[in-house]
Amino acid sequence: MSEYFTGITFPQQKVTPSDDASIRRAMLADGVLSGCVLSYSGSTLTMTAGLMIACGREFRHTAAQNWAVVDANSGFARLLLTIDTTRTSSKEAFDQITDSIEYASSIDGFPELQQADINASGTIYQVVVCVVSLGAGGITGIVSQLGAGERFRPSTWLPTPEEIGAMPEMQLLWENASPESAFVAQLIPLDLSEYDIVLVEIKFSSFNIQRVTGFARKGQTTYIGTPVTVNAFRAVEVSDGGCSFADGYLVSTYTNATVNNERAIPTAIYGIKGVSA
Amino acid sequence: MKYALNLAEDGRILSATYPQYAPADAVTVDALPEGDISDYRYVNGEYVYDPLPEPEQPAEETETTVWDELDAAYQEGVDSV
């Protein structure tokens, strides 16, 4: 037994509203769970009955409600819900959620929301149900509102595989078991039919440890070189049957390259699938 | 540890990898020869030391030479090597 741990979702243990909301908040962003459809006519804003969630706390809008948005005829107004956990919440009465209409001359002119964590020590949490634009005849449009789309997915939620599509996959297909040896021209037989492109790693030389990598497409000759003052390179042709390496070359001067198979030693071949080559 | 050999027709060891990366019919061995494996041929299950000729060494292999040549190339308007 430890005095520093208390069970919550365990047998015979108590689950408080804040305990429950802590889990829901981790999964669900503030939003509409059902109903709560907004509409307007003239200066009247209406929201139907439904369910909403804010800071992990679920609450019901029990019936259609109208708000008179009449205190301005230009700019913007917003319907604000304020959760105040210091107010009454009992079996007989619930008064912890209040609604209000606020006005601003510009879309970013509203007061900053109070969004303390009411599942911890905070007591006030506000959420904007909608922002409407105003004109001489009343409401001219709904600029933004809680609703479908992101309400079930916080920004930290990982995208699903369906949203991402096929993820590229890279696999080590060959490794040089003797990278300190010279490497003459040769075919490394590999079944590359299911790979889109390969990544070839080479060592600068049989006696160096530095390495460099390069992508090689099928059906093309790719030259992979060492970007150092003593340059070396090696060509590779990739096909479904493997990687055909040419001799290594040492470049000592701008116009002078000589065969040297102690240079540009292939050390590893990776196959990559799921990419557009 | 086992190794899989990639052999030329005359048994020259071209390279070595590990069996999981080699074709099923590749020759596998328990040990590689000492030193540069390309100096050996694998004949009748044995390593035969048969070194390849040393690669031709360029006359000059200095940092100065390379960069001097590159500088000259750029000055001549050549933008690729």
Side-chain angles (χ1 to χ4, degrees), chain A residues 51-94:
Chain A
L51 292 170
M52 306 181 83
I53 190 166
C55 200
R57 303 291 184 110
E58 183 184 7
F59 51 92
R60 186 183 304 279
H61 190 229
T62 56
Q65 182 180 3
N66 294 327
W67 289 267
V69 187
V70 295
D71 290 347
N73 53 17
S74 65
F76 300 88
R78 71 181 184 185
L79 171 56
L80 182 70
L81 301 184
T82 299
I83 301 173
D84 184 347
T85 57
T86 64
R87 295 166 69 102
T88 301
S89 179
S90 66
K91 185 178 179 181
E92 293 75 25
F94 178 76

Side-chain angles (χ1 to χ4, degrees), chain A residues 175 177 181-182 186-187 252 263, chain B residues 6 14-17 36-37 60:
Chain A
E175 187 175 4
S181 296
Q186 63 188 275
L187 169 70
S252 61
R263 305 282 180 163
Chain B
N6 189 19
L14 302 175
S15 61
T17 187
D36 191 329
I37 62 172
E60 297 181 65

